[in-house]
Amino acid sequence: MKYKRFVWLAALIFILSVFNVYSQEILVVDNTIFNRPQRPAAVFDHDDHNEKAQLEEDCSICHHVYDENNVRIEDESSEDSLCSECHSLKKIPENSIPLRMAFHNRCKQCHFKSDKGPVLCGECHIRK
Amino acid sequence: MQDTIIENEKKKPDGKNVIDDGVEQGLAKLTPERISSVINQVLTKEVGPRFKAYVETCMRCGLCADACSIFLSNDRGPEFSPAAKVKQTILEMIKKKGNVSKKVLKDAVRISYTECNVCKRCSMYCPFGIDIAYMMLQVRRICHKLEITPLYIQDTVNSHSATMNQMWVKEDEWIDTLQWQEEDAREEFEDLRIPLDKDGADIMYSVIAPEPKFQAGLIYQTAVIMHAAGIDWTMPSFPGWDNSNMAMYTGDFEISGRIAQAHYEAAARLHVKKIVMGECGHAFRSVYDVGNRWVGWSMPPVNLIHAIDFYHDLLTSGRIKVKEKYKKTVTLHDPCNVSRGRGLHNKAREMVNILCESFIEMTPNREHNYCCGAGGGVINCGPPWKGTRMVNNREKKEQLERTGAEVLIAPCHNCHSGLEDIVEHYGIGMEVKFFGDIIYEVMEKTVYKKNNLKEG
Amino acid sequence: MHSFINFIMGPMVWISFLIFFCGVIFKLFQVIKQVNEKENFIYTYLSVKHSFRSIFAWMIPFLPVSTRKSPVFYTVSYLFHLLLFIVPIFLLSHVALFEESMQWSWMTFNDTVADTLTLIVIFSLIFFMIRRVVVPEVKFLTRLSDFFFILIVALPFVTGFLAYHQFFAYKWMVITHVISGELMLILIPFTRFSHMFMAPLTRAYTGSEFGNVRHAKDW
């Protein structure tokens, strides 16, 4: 009986330590543009993500370009610019999607569609 | 034998041990089928969304407890809080779908008739304004329909039913009493009259039946005040003169309605402009708030005012002048049914200040005053319940004592009797008086002439 | 798993709100129907002026005598009821989620502030629970269901708090948080939570009877 209890305890310690794995060195999205961000910056390892997501050369899914009429230009991509160059903090006439929403939608919509990756607040905004 | 009696007297009276013949005999006749059918009839047919809302909305927070003087008098006994009374009666009946034991019914009688004064103070302490007095009256309604009403109060209802007055006063006795008072009063005022059945008089004055039965002197005093103020008034010689209504408190709403109707019909028959009623609280509730509704008059069909309103008018308009202010220190008890029931507390205070030299305020007061402990038909349940009533009135006694006044003005018959019991039982040196008593004592005994006012 | 999360954080939210609003409307409609059928005298005495007089008087802390008699309880209670609405409505994560689906947002609390307020709500509920056990007159009135109701309200706040701090089992905390929140919303019209919309009605009637007929205050 005592042996069994020990196994449970070990399992518990193991599980708890798994939760703590993320607290090692992690790459995050640069959130300095937000004034006084409320949550820790979102965890995001660009290369690792693309490898797992098998995006290969299709950068324009995230690094998209839209024309004046709000139509996405198929063959163009915008790897050299920051998201915040088009998506401002508040909604503006030229771009109806503010930055925070752009980030959230970009990640979550794909993740939900592919049934993979984090979708809950704390799965990206991990507390150290 | 003698020892056990003494021992019993020493013990704190407990309502659970009280034997009330009316209740016992009623319970003995009941069958489970009758119990459930009566309860379900009331709970499904008689009450409506209001009752349902009260049952379903109560969060059992217990805030009503502090409102109840009976709860406070019983050392904050949890079973005495207003919501607890609902729990032990109505909720029990709902839970069991009417199939309750005779013990539950016996408790329901005790709780609803003798441990609740239906004073509505708790609905001022409930954040939702739930009217627990209304719930208790529904319990009484069920008890009435099961014929397990306490004996003494049932007798008053029987009297109402047979004679249209509360005290089995016969018509000739009534007229006789008025004439006797008139005769006595004529020694003070030569041409004083107590006009009977005067058609088209300004005012019909109505009293409760205990006045002609035991306290005829009050009618004398009123006659003197009316005469001195030069009022064109009358009293009916026929049924309808009694404005009291115990049926309202037993749950016999049918008779309650008949009583209120007879009262207003008397006024209509005499073509009076206004009804003035004596210093009684429950009677005011009956004709102003309850009985009239049962008949179908949303508000009194004839202009009706309580004695406080009337006397206030006489004193402020100069129809009655104060010769010399009342000397003793006085305090004022606000009867529930005219303060919480009609907001007359400020007028009552103005009157005290006109009439008396030194006034000591009672706390709590006005709408928040404690019930006298006799109201809601509790005192009318009679001697079997007097012991527990005195226990339940401890908080009231303490409130009275705190004032340290010599005289206690209580402009309500029920309060008057209940407060006298408290004063006697607890040995508080206080005289209980009506406004009429004080006015009679301090007024100038001259007859008011209209031109006096015009010249002034 | 993702489709389940998507469901409870998407359609189920709207379904819950729909049930809540329809439930409230249905219940109110039922009350009005029954009043019309059985107790239409209520309209005779109901006065708009005195109804609002009474409701407003009771919304001002420490105006009613009752509130002065139990200052601790009422302080906790007023605060709790206020925060119960304010915290979820002005919570950053809720507003962010709402914005992502409806392209509409409003002001939010700073997360630290919201966190503190959440703790106040949780401690209020603990206070209510202790009161139910400790105060004799409240204990006498308490039924098992009263604890159940406290639990239902506590769940979304406690799990929300734990999820925010990511202490453990984050994913399950969020899922419980969302589901319990929706459950509470759905239960409001059909349980004693209905005092949310019934209490103003009972208060209005008592306020009208006191003010309109009896010329007295009821606070």
Side-chain angles (χ1 to χ4, degrees):
Chain A
M1 283 309 273
K2 270 188 183 165
Y3 171 72
K4 214 170 184 181
R5 200 180 292 171
F6 177 75
V7 170
W8 279 116
L9 197 66
L12 190 71
I13 291 166
F14 177 69
I15 290 165
L16 288 174
S17 61
V18 166
F19 281 109
N20 270 332
V21 158
Y22 296 105
S23 63
Q24 289 162 10
E25 192 79 17
I26 40 170
L27 290 166
V28 294
V29 172
D30 178 15
N31 67 348
T32 45
I33 179 131
F34 293 100
N35 339 316
R36 292 190 291 143
Q38 305 268 315
R39 299 284 164 109
V43 172
F44 184 67
D45 183 332
H46 183 269
D47 298 346
D48 190 42
H49 173 262
N50 295 354
E51 200 179 306
K52 274 188 191 153
Q54 293 171 318
L55 290 178
E56 282 149 19
E57 298 306 306
D58 195 4
C59 307
S60 68
I61 292 177
C62 298
H63 300 284
H64 47 233
V65 180
Y66 283 77
D67 68 7
E68 294 98 58
N69 302 322
N70 244 345
V71 178
R72 190 173 152 200
I73 306 168
E74 287 288 337
D75 307 327
E76 283 187 39
S77 63
S78 53
E79 287 100 311
D80 298 331
S81 45
L82 293 166
C83 305
S84 57
E85 281 172 35
C86 297
H87 297 284
S88 54
L89 285 176
K90 290 253 160 69
K91 204 191 266 189
I92 49 165
E94 300 87 66
N95 193 324
S96 64
I97 302 177
L99 185 60
R100 184 183 71 204
M101 198 165 132
F103 276 129
H104 286 168
N105 283 353
R106 187 75 267 134
C107 303
K108 281 162 62 185
Q109 280 172 5
C110 269
H111 292 169
F112 273 127
K113 210 177 280 174
S114 60
D115 205 10
K116 284 189 187 99
V119 288
L120 301 173
C121 314
E123 288 177 320
C124 295
H125 300 285
I126 296 165
R127 284 177 196 285
K128 283 171 197 159
Chain B
M1 182 67 188
Q2 194 66 29
D3 288 349
T4 54
I5 289 174
I6 290 168
E7 204 143 283
N8 277 340
E9 277 175 358
K10 271 187 201 157
K11 254 193 260 163
K12 195 178 143 191
D14 185 347
K16 287 178 187 126
N17 303 330
V18 172
I19 305 289
D20 184 304
D21 286 340
V23 182
E24 301 298 330
Q25 286 167 19
L27 282 172
K29 286 181 209 150
L30 288 177
T31 59
E33 295 75 35
R34 171 120 192 266
I35 294 172
S36 74
S37 83
V38 165
I39 293 176
N40 288 321
Q41 190 269 338
V42 173
L43 294 185
T44 58
K45 297 271 171 6
E46 290 200 3
V47 298
R50 189 179 159 204
F51 179 88
K52 201 167 160 245
Y54 290 158
V55 170
E56 288 174 3
T57 312
C58 173
M59 290 304 283
R60 297 171 204 143
C61 64
L63 288 167
C64 51
D66 272 306
C68 185
S69 63
I70 293 178
F71 169 79
L72 297 172
S73 297
N74 284 282
D75 304 317
R76 308 182 68 88
E79 70 274 27
F80 290 97
S81 85
K85 292 170 197 169
V86 175
K87 182 189 156 142
Q88 293 167 87
T89 56
I90 284 284
L91 296 187
E92 193 65 22
M93 292 174 187
I94 293 173
K95 200 169 91 187
K96 299 258 169 72
K97 297 192 173 68
N99 296 308
V100 294
S101 66
K102 290 187 181 180
K103 192 191 163 291
V104 170
L105 289 176
K106 197 179 166 183
D107 287 343
V109 171
R110 168 178 53 85
I111 293 166
S112 65
Y113 285 95
T114 74
E115 289 171 3
C116 173
N117 293 105
V118 290
C119 75
K120 297 198 190 234
R121 192 171 190 262
C122 46
S123 56
M124 303 172 71
Y125 287 74
C126 170
F128 304 163
I130 292 175
D131 189 349
I132 296 175
Y134 165 81
M135 306 294 270
M136 283 300 109
L137 286 169
Q138 296 315 317
V139 180
R140 294 188 188 185
R141 174 70 172 164
I142 289 169
C143 295
H144 154 70
K145 291 199 145 193
L146 290 169
E147 298 177 68
I148 49 174
T149 326
L151 185 69
Y152 280 77
I153 192 168
Q154 184 57 46
D155 182 68
T156 62
V157 177
N158 294 348
S159 168
H160 273 308
S161 155
T163 65
M164 277 294 129
N165 73 69
Q166 195 201 116
M167 289 273 138
W168 302 102
V169 178
K170 294 192 192 93
E171 203 160 318
D172 57 338
E173 279 174 7
W174 163 243
I175 296 168
D176 216 43
T177 307
L178 295 180
Q179 286 179 343
W180 160 42
Q181 291 310 312
E182 179 184 79
E183 209 176 297
D184 279 2
R186 284 169 83 94
E187 282 175 20
E188 270 190 272
F189 284 103
E190 222 179 349
D191 46 359
L192 181 147
R193 294 293 321 271
I194 296 181
L196 289 185
D197 302 340
K198 184 180 172 195
D199 195 75
D202 286 344
I203 283 168
M204 175 178 112
Y205 182 67
S206 62
V207 295
I208 64 168
E211 287 202 19
K213 195 83 179 177
F214 316 115
Q215 297 155 292
L218 292 172
I219 297 173
Y220 173 115
Q221 284 175 0
T222 307
V224 167
I225 294 167
M226 291 283 190
H227 184 76
I231 301 292
D232 174 21
W233 69 302
T234 186
M235 291 181 92
S237 69
F238 48 88
W241 57 265
D242 178 13
N243 50 30
S244 76
N245 192 340
M246 275 304 133
M248 164 178 83
Y249 284 147
T250 60
D252 195 341
F253 302 152
E254 290 79 3
I255 289 183
S256 164
R258 274 177 62 206
I259 296 165
Q261 185 169 5
H263 184 246
Y264 283 118
E265 278 172 355
R269 209 171 125 186
L270 295 174
H271 305 102
V272 293
K273 296 195 183 82
K274 200 194 301 191
I275 301 171
V276 172
M277 46 181 303
E279 294 179 60
C280 184
H282 96 273
F284 186 78
R285 180 178 181 153
S286 156
V287 284
Y288 180 73
D289 197 341
V290 181
N292 53 315
R293 294 189 188 190
W294 182 265
V295 183
W297 292 306
S298 60
M299 291 304 276
V302 178
N303 189 3
L304 165 113
I305 59 170
H306 187 266
I308 294 177
D309 233 340
F310 180 63
Y311 291 152
H312 181 269
D313 193 39
L314 296 186
L315 287 164
T316 49
S317 66
R319 277 179 174 267
I320 293 286
K321 289 199 176 64
V322 176
K323 199 157 121 200
E324 201 180 357
K325 278 193 175 188
Y326 194 71
K327 291 271 183 316
K328 291 180 184 167
T329 53
V330 301
T331 186
L332 173 71
H333 164 82
D334 293 295
C336 308
N337 291 322
V338 297
S339 55
R340 202 149 41 243
R342 185 54 182 81
L344 293 180
H345 40 264
N346 289 330
K347 280 190 176 175
R349 269 166 188 73
E350 284 168 30
M351 247 159 76
V352 174
N353 287 322
I354 293 172
L355 295 168
C356 307
E357 266 180 3
S358 67
F359 169 49
I360 302 168
E361 189 65 89
M362 196 183 274
T363 41
N365 54 49
R366 296 180 168 85
E367 290 104 330
H368 287 274
N369 187 26
Y370 291 129
C371 171
C372 59
V378 173
I379 194 172
N380 308 74
C381 292
W385 302 96
K386 193 181 168 191
T388 51
R389 176 158 59 86
M390 287 302 107
V391 174
N392 294 340
N393 290 359
R394 196 187 69 195
E395 186 69 20
K396 185 72 201 175
K397 169 220 122 186
E398 281 161 15
Q399 182 201 23
L400 297 179
E401 268 183 338
R402 281 198 298 271
T403 66
E406 295 165 275
V407 172
L408 169 60
I409 300 177
C412 163
H413 269 280
N414 233 303
C415 302
H416 211 272
S417 313
L419 294 171
E420 273 184 339
D421 281 347
I422 295 177
V423 165
E424 190 205 18
H425 180 85
Y426 287 104
I428 313 170
M430 246 180 190
E431 260 181 283
V432 190
K433 284 189 183 289
F434 288 106
F435 268 120
D437 295 326
I438 308 266
I439 295 174
Y440 176 77
E441 211 173 313
V442 303
M443 68 191 270
E444 250 177 51
K445 304 253 167 58
T446 50
V447 178
Y448 167 82
K449 294 270 182 321
K450 259 191 193 146
N451 352 353
N452 290 0
L453 196 70
K454 273 178 190 163
E455 282 164 16
Chain C
M1 198 63 201
H2 273 43
S3 52
F4 174 67
I5 292 175
N6 194 21
F7 175 71
I8 60 164
M9 289 179 76
M12 195 56 210
V13 176
W14 303 119
I15 293 172
S16 312
F17 271 104
L18 201 70
I19 296 177
F20 164 70
F21 282 115
C22 291
V24 171
I25 290 166
F26 170 73
K27 280 278 172 176
L28 288 176
F29 178 77
Q30 229 183 6
V31 169
I32 292 168
K33 190 171 153 253
Q34 285 171 359
V35 167
N36 288 344
E37 279 168 5
K38 249 182 144 172
E39 294 185 332
N40 61 9
F41 70 86
I42 283 176
Y43 298 123
T44 312
Y45 301 101
L46 209 58
S47 119
V48 177
K49 183 183 140 194
H50 294 103
S51 296
F52 283 109
R53 187 181 82 154
S54 176
I55 291 168
F56 284 133
W58 274 88
M59 279 168 114
I60 302 168
F62 308 113
L63 177 70
V65 174
S66 176
T67 59
R68 280 179 259 154
K69 285 233 153 173
S70 322
V72 179
F73 174 82
Y74 275 102
T75 306
V76 176
S77 185
Y78 275 114
L79 211 58
F80 164 76
H81 282 92
L82 189 73
L83 296 180
L84 188 61
F85 289 88
I86 283 187
V87 174
I89 291 175
F90 297 105
L91 191 80
L92 175 64
S93 350
H94 291 175
V95 175
L97 284 170
F98 189 88
E99 188 184 21
E100 281 153 31
S101 69
M102 304 300 282
Q103 276 77 47
W104 183 46
S105 73
W106 53 89
M107 56 159 279
T108 57
F109 282 125
N110 180 293
D111 268 351
T112 328
V113 174
D115 201 37
T116 320
L117 297 180
T118 304
L119 274 180
I120 296 179
V121 172
I122 294 169
F123 281 117
S124 308
L125 287 164
I126 293 172
F127 169 82
F128 291 147
M129 203 173 310
I130 293 173
R131 190 173 169 272
R132 288 216 172 272
V133 181
V134 171
V135 181
E137 66 263 28
V138 188
K139 190 181 174 192
F140 186 85
L141 298 170
T142 299
R143 293 195 268 190
L144 206 59
S145 64
D146 293 305
F147 293 110
F148 174 73
F149 287 120
I150 292 179
L151 195 72
I152 295 283
V153 186
L155 259 181
F157 284 90
V158 172
T159 53
F161 177 81
L162 293 176
Y164 172 73
H165 288 281
Q166 301 171 13
F167 287 135
F168 56 92
Y170 173 77
K171 201 178 196 172
W172 293 107
M173 280 305 144
V174 178
I175 291 173
T176 322
H177 172 74
V178 174
I179 293 178
S180 60
E182 288 163 349
L183 180 69
M184 177 167 79
L185 212 53
I186 292 171
L187 287 179
I188 289 173
F190 310 104
T191 60
R192 272 190 290 130
F193 287 142
S194 62
H195 72 271
M196 175 182 158
F197 53 92
M198 288 305 288
L201 298 186
T202 50
R203 184 87 261 158
Y205 183 66
T206 297
S208 297
E209 282 274 9
F210 268 77
N212 203 15
V213 181
R214 302 193 195 115
H215 307 271
K217 293 186 294 183
D218 64 328
W219 58 85

Coordinates of all heavy atoms in Angstrom, one line a residue, chain B residues 9 11 22 60 68 76 295 357 369 416 445 449:
Chain B
E9 N -45.5 28.1 37.5 CA -45.6 29.5 37.4 C -44.2 30.2 37.3 O -44.0 31.2 36.6 CB -46.3 30.1 38.6 CG -47.9 30.0 38.3 CD -48.7 30.5 39.5 OE1 -48.0 30.9 40.5 OE2 -49.9 30.5 39.4
K11 N -41.6 28.8 36.0 CA -41.0 28.5 34.7 C -41.4 29.5 33.6 O -42.5 30.0 33.7 CB -41.4 27.1 34.2 CG -40.3 26.0 34.3 CD -40.7 24.8 33.6 CE -41.2 23.7 34.5 NZ -41.9 22.6 33.8
G22 N -60.0 25.9 21.7 CA -60.5 26.1 20.3 C -59.6 25.4 19.3 O -60.1 24.7 18.4
R60 N -33.2 33.8 2.3 CA -32.9 33.3 3.6 C -31.7 34.0 4.2 O -30.8 33.3 4.7 CB -32.8 31.8 3.6 CG -34.1 31.3 3.2 CD -34.1 29.8 2.9 NE -35.2 29.6 2.0 CZ -35.1 28.7 1.0 NH1 -34.1 28.0 0.8 NH2 -36.2 28.5 0.3
C68 N -37.8 42.0 14.2 CA -38.9 41.5 15.0 C -38.7 41.6 16.5 O -37.7 41.0 17.0 CB -39.0 40.0 14.6 SG -40.4 39.2 15.3
R76 N -33.0 36.3 20.8 CA -32.6 36.0 19.4 C -32.7 34.5 19.1 O -31.9 34.0 18.4 CB -31.2 36.5 19.1 CG -30.9 37.9 19.5 CD -29.5 38.4 19.1 NE -29.3 38.4 17.6 CZ -29.6 39.5 16.9 NH1 -30.0 40.6 17.4 NH2 -29.4 39.4 15.6
V295 N -64.1 44.1 -0.2 CA -65.4 44.4 -0.8 C -65.2 44.9 -2.3 O -66.1 44.7 -3.1 CB -66.1 45.5 0.0 CG1 -67.4 45.8 -0.5 CG2 -66.1 45.1 1.5
E357 N -46.0 69.6 28.0 CA -44.8 70.4 28.3 C -43.5 69.7 27.9 O -42.7 70.2 27.3 CB -44.8 70.8 29.8 CG -45.5 72.2 30.0 CD -45.5 72.6 31.4 OE1 -44.9 71.9 32.3 OE2 -46.0 73.7 31.7
N369 N -41.0 52.1 14.9 CA -41.4 51.7 16.3 C -41.7 50.2 16.4 O -42.2 49.6 15.4 CB -42.6 52.5 16.7 CG -43.0 52.3 18.2 OD1 -42.1 52.0 19.0 ND2 -44.2 52.5 18.5
H416 N -53.1 50.1 23.6 CA -53.4 50.6 24.9 C -53.5 49.4 25.9 O -52.8 49.3 26.9 CB -54.7 51.3 24.9 CG -54.8 52.4 25.9 ND1 -55.3 52.2 27.2 CD2 -54.5 53.7 25.9 CE1 -55.3 53.3 27.9 NE2 -54.8 54.3 27.1
K445 N -62.8 74.4 28.2 CA -64.1 73.8 28.1 C -65.1 74.9 27.7 O -66.1 75.2 28.5 CB -64.6 73.1 29.4 CG -63.6 72.0 29.8 CD -64.1 70.6 29.6 CE -63.1 69.5 29.7 NZ -62.4 69.5 31.0
K449 N -67.0 79.1 18.6 CA -68.0 79.8 17.7 C -67.2 80.2 16.4 O -66.1 80.6 16.4 CB -68.5 81.1 18.4 CG -69.3 80.9 19.6 CD -70.7 80.8 19.3 CE -71.7 80.6 20.4 NZ -71.2 79.7 21.5

